Amino acid sequence: MAASDALPLLCTLALTVAALVGAELKSRTCSEVRLAYSSKGFNLNDVPHQGVSGAHLKVCPQSFTCCTPEMEEKLSQLSRSDLKAQVSKLSSALQSTFTQRHRRFDQFFKELLDNAEKSLNDMFTRTYGVMYMQNSELFKKFFLDLKNYYVQGGVNLEAMLSDFWAGLLERMFVLVNVQYDFSEEYLECVSKHTEQLKPFGDVPRKLKLQVTRAFVAARTFAQGLAVIGDVIGKVSAVNASPGCVQAAMKMMYCPYCSWQMALKPCHNYCLNVMKGCLANQADLDTEWNNFMDAMLNLAERLEGPFNIESVMDPIDVKISDAIMNMQENSMQVSHKVFQGCGPPKLAVASRAARSVSDSVFNTRFRPYSPDERPTTAAGTSLDRLVTEVKKKLKFAKKFWSALPENVCTGERIASGDECWNGTAKSRYESVVMGNGLANQAANPDVEVDITKPDVVIRRQIMTLRIMTNKLKSAHNGNDVTFFDMSEDGSGGESGSGCERQVCTSDFDFQSPITRRPPLFVEKHDDSSGSVKTPASSAEPGVEEEADALNSAVMPQVSSEDKGLQQCAF
């Protein structure tokens, strides 16, 4: 048979088959579709009893169908819920993981501080007795300031520590010089120059470095854990766009319209739909991964030099050693103070006769034995907590860019080529798009406006960027300005206040006048013997004259008349 004769026959055969198929579809009931549709919680009356023309459909293929526009609307709402549920299932699991870790870290740090305070109070009470109890408010304030810094910020750690040592020096100085009476002004002169006197040896300097670094790292890390949960919560609450909802409905439920309820979407088809729907979320990935890396780096610090547990656990021993240093060097310290602040007044006879050894700490405090000293808080240790959270941080990297792949897995997605490609049961041929909003311009399955990024997600990107910088600062040993993650936005600033500044001045007790000018300089004239002249008004050369003069007369200056004037040095 010639080809020209065969062509009309083939056309006739095709038309005949099409007519038979059409007749079969028209005669086919929608009972199976009605059953599947009602199983989703919808009314059976929404579904026609038999197939109808699909010309009225807006989303699904407009062939002969069991769907109506009302069904499309309801299935679109279901698709919105389904998509949110799938994303929430993945994000909520991650959010719960870090919320629990934050709660455990927070509990650990607070209990660690409580244990350290109790340990110091118990041992100092047994070791130093009444002398400690009479001055215990100084130590209570010390721990309260540390707790306030960790909980809410607003505490300058370095200034707080300086105040603590200055207050301790005042009390110790009185105890080792019971034969004298000291006014508040005189003690202020003493405490003002604690750093220059160095009565406690090197303990304050070392403890300041250890405490500031450990507390900054601990609080920043705990806040970082809180930020993770907060960001996940806000991002997962972002609603799907109308274009996304329409694409998800077409992927999941349009097969129902053509009696193919069991037909599952092709894997790559699902990927393109999800990459379009989750394009904004994927844009979090860069800052999210940077944040995770910064958290991991700070975790390494917590395990090593910035370990708050190793700082707070023996803090009672360190403070006790400082007290012993002061006692052992009390004579030298007192001599320097008497030179710098002036000779003090002798106390009344009854008090002056009291033995110095009766009024000072006379027992060096020793640490607990290994069996006695507590080594954990909240039933765990910092090393164990950090090890656990590091695993979770590593697992959480690339969470947002991997979200489409994680959604497009499981029983709801076809494993082979016999799948729903958006129009029919066939192989999906389109190229899979990249991640992020900018890569969705040519997405074949989701209409995405790449010029309108989601505002909520952009804010979370900024939050991650800011927090990453704080984590890096804490990693480098620098204090940071915290922001509160609570709704009221309260927070505080904490810093040394001394960065790029000269924060200390020399305190030379061998010469009463140092780099800091005195409130007054002594200037003699022939008529009255001496005149007090404001230092700021001294003529050139007067300061040099005052140097020599003060060196000569300072030991004889009475504390009542002139000693306190030298407190400014």
Side-chain angles (χ1 to χ4, degrees):
M1 181 182 298
S4 57
D5 296 331
L7 185 58
L9 181 60
L10 290 174
C11 291
T12 302
L13 181 60
L15 290 173
T16 302
V17 170
L20 291 173
V21 170
E24 181 182 354
L25 289 174
K26 288 180 181 180
S27 63
R28 187 173 180 178
T29 67
C30 295
S31 57
E32 294 178 0
V33 178
R34 289 166 61 86
L35 184 62
Y37 183 78
S38 64
S39 70
K40 301 297 181 181
F42 298 124
N43 194 326
L44 279 174
N45 294 328
D46 293 341
V47 187
H49 289 278
Q50 288 187 316
V52 295
S53 169
H56 53 285
L57 298 181
K58 299 177 181 179
V59 179
C60 297
Q62 296 181 329
S63 56
F64 211 70
T65 182
C66 277
C67 288
T68 65
E70 292 75 19
M71 291 175 63
E72 280 190 323
E73 179 62 30
K74 292 183 179 181
L75 288 171
S76 291
Q77 295 174 7
L78 178 61
S79 299
R80 185 191 299 274
S81 299
D82 285 348
L83 178 59
K84 188 167 186 176
Q86 292 178 67
V87 173
S88 294
K89 181 180 179 181
L90 294 167
S91 58
S92 295
L94 189 66
Q95 183 182 31
S96 176
T97 294
F98 284 104
T99 298
Q100 291 173 9
R101 293 303 180 277
H102 173 255
R103 190 180 300 118
R104 293 194 68 189
F105 264 88
D106 189 60
Q107 181 186 8
F108 176 84
F109 290 142
K110 289 177 180 176
E111 287 193 18
L112 184 66
L113 288 173
D114 288 339
N115 291 347
E117 182 176 12
K118 183 178 184 301
S119 171
L120 184 144
N121 183 69
D122 291 347
M123 294 306 296
F124 274 38
T125 299
R126 292 203 301 266
T127 305
Y128 302 129
V130 176
M131 304 311 298
Y132 164 70
M133 290 185 282
Q134 290 176 341
N135 296 279
S136 62
E137 75 280 356
L138 178 70
F139 299 91
K140 289 179 181 178
K141 185 178 185 305
F142 172 75
F143 283 102
L144 179 61
D145 285 340
L146 290 178
K147 291 175 185 176
N148 285 339
Y149 173 82
Y150 172 74
V151 172
Q152 63 190 28
V155 176
N156 186 312
L157 286 176
E158 292 193 9
M160 180 274 288
L161 289 167
S162 295
D163 289 345
F164 169 75
W165 293 115
L168 186 59
L169 174 59
E170 284 188 25
R171 289 161 172 76
M172 288 291 297
F173 187 76
V174 172
L175 290 173
V176 299
N177 291 285
V178 293
Q179 67 272 37
Y180 297 109
D181 270 332
F182 300 104
S183 66
E184 290 185 6
E185 290 81 2
Y186 195 99
L187 292 177
E188 184 180 349
C189 174
V190 176
S191 63
K192 188 190 302 182
H193 297 90
T194 305
E195 291 189 12
Q196 289 77 38
L197 283 165
K198 290 185 169 51
F200 302 110
D202 206 30
V203 174
R205 184 191 66 81
K206 291 181 178 178
L207 197 60
K208 179 175 71 173
L209 186 64
Q210 293 169 347
V211 167
T212 52
R213 286 183 171 181
F215 271 77
V216 169
R219 184 172 190 239
T220 308
F221 192 79
Q223 193 182 46
L225 292 174
V227 165
I228 294 175
D230 191 70
V231 168
I232 294 174
K234 286 183 169 65
V235 173
S236 60
V238 171
N239 291 322
S241 68
C244 167
V245 172
Q246 180 175 301
M249 181 268 177
K250 183 178 182 180
M251 178 179 73
M252 298 304 302
Y253 294 113
C254 279
Y256 281 42
C257 300
S258 55
W259 294 272
Q260 301 182 92
M261 290 76 66
L263 187 59
K264 299 176 181 180
C266 302
H267 179 256
N268 284 354
Y269 175 37
C270 177
L271 283 181
N272 268 345
V273 171
M274 291 301 109
K275 282 177 183 286
C277 286
L278 302 172
N280 280 285
Q281 287 84 337
D283 282 344
L284 276 165
D285 219 43
T286 299
E287 292 301 334
W288 176 265
N289 293 336
N290 290 340
F291 174 81
M292 291 296 158
D293 287 336
M295 286 287 288
L296 286 167
N297 289 336
L298 188 57
E300 297 288 342
R301 292 290 202 195
L302 288 175
E303 290 178 314
F306 298 175
N307 188 315
I308 192 173
E309 189 173 24
S310 66
V311 172
M312 293 307 300
D313 201 32
I315 199 167
D316 43 12
V317 181
K318 296 174 183 178
I319 294 176
S320 179
D321 285 343
I323 292 172
M324 292 303 104
N325 286 335
M326 169 63 190
Q327 183 177 343
E328 291 167 0
N329 297 292
S330 60
M331 292 185 64
Q332 297 93 314
V333 171
S334 297
H335 177 71
K336 290 181 178 180
V337 170
F338 296 157
Q339 281 189 319
C341 295
K345 285 183 178 180
L346 283 171
V348 294
S350 60
R351 181 180 174 192
R354 198 188 319 162
S355 169
V356 173
S357 62
D358 292 337
S359 302
V360 298
F361 301 131
N362 53 23
T363 304
R364 181 176 290 277
F365 177 58
R366 295 298 179 187
Y368 294 102
S369 67
D371 294 334
E372 188 179 6
R373 172 169 289 283
T375 57
T376 61
T380 186
S381 68
L382 184 61
D383 288 343
R384 189 177 301 121
L385 285 173
V386 172
T387 298
E388 291 174 356
V389 83
K390 281 169 63 178
K391 295 178 181 177
K392 304 301 181 182
L393 290 168
K394 292 175 182 177
F395 175 79
K397 290 185 69 174
K398 298 185 178 181
F399 173 79
W400 301 105
S401 61
L403 202 52
E405 186 68 52
N406 289 329
V407 171
C408 294
T409 56
E411 297 179 354
R412 301 186 69 176
I413 307 300
S415 56
D417 291 339
E418 293 293 313
C419 53
W420 173 251
N421 66 5
T423 57
K425 181 180 180 180
S426 182
R427 180 185 180 91
Y428 183 76
E429 301 291 350
S430 298
V431 176
V432 176
M433 299 291 101
N435 292 315
L437 195 62
N439 289 315
Q440 305 311 311
N443 193 308
D445 301 296
V446 187
E447 184 178 340
V448 181
D449 187 346
I450 65 172
T451 66
K452 294 182 179 179
D454 185 86
V455 175
V456 172
I457 291 179
R458 296 297 140 174
R459 286 175 182 162
Q460 299 315 301
I461 290 173
M462 184 57 65
T463 295
L464 290 171
R465 186 174 299 154
I466 292 171
M467 194 62 206
T468 297
N469 289 334
K470 296 181 186 298
L471 291 166
K472 290 179 179 179
S473 183
H475 176 269
N476 293 332
N478 301 321
D479 206 346
V480 298
T481 301
F482 286 104
F483 63 96
D484 196 338
M485 294 305 297
S486 62
E487 289 300 322
D488 61 7
S490 61
E493 181 173 340
S494 177
S496 68
C498 292
E499 292 181 9
R500 298 186 180 93
Q501 299 178 25
V502 178
C503 295
T504 59
S505 59
D506 292 336
F507 189 61
D508 184 2
F509 286 91
Q510 304 308 314
S511 175
I513 297 180
T514 66
R515 297 176 190 173
R516 296 182 62 182
L519 292 176
F520 295 93
V521 295
E522 297 288 343
K523 182 179 180 182
H524 284 253
D525 59 25
D526 295 334
S527 60
S528 61
S530 68
V531 178
K532 293 185 180 71
T533 305
S536 60
S537 64
E539 298 292 336
V542 171
E543 192 167 327
E544 288 77 7
E545 179 184 350
D547 250 337
L549 193 57
N550 279 332
S551 297
V553 302
M554 184 60 194
Q556 287 78 40
V557 176
S558 70
S559 61
E560 180 178 356
D561 296 331
K562 300 173 184 177
L564 294 178
Q565 295 171 1
Q566 298 299 325
C567 284
F569 299 95

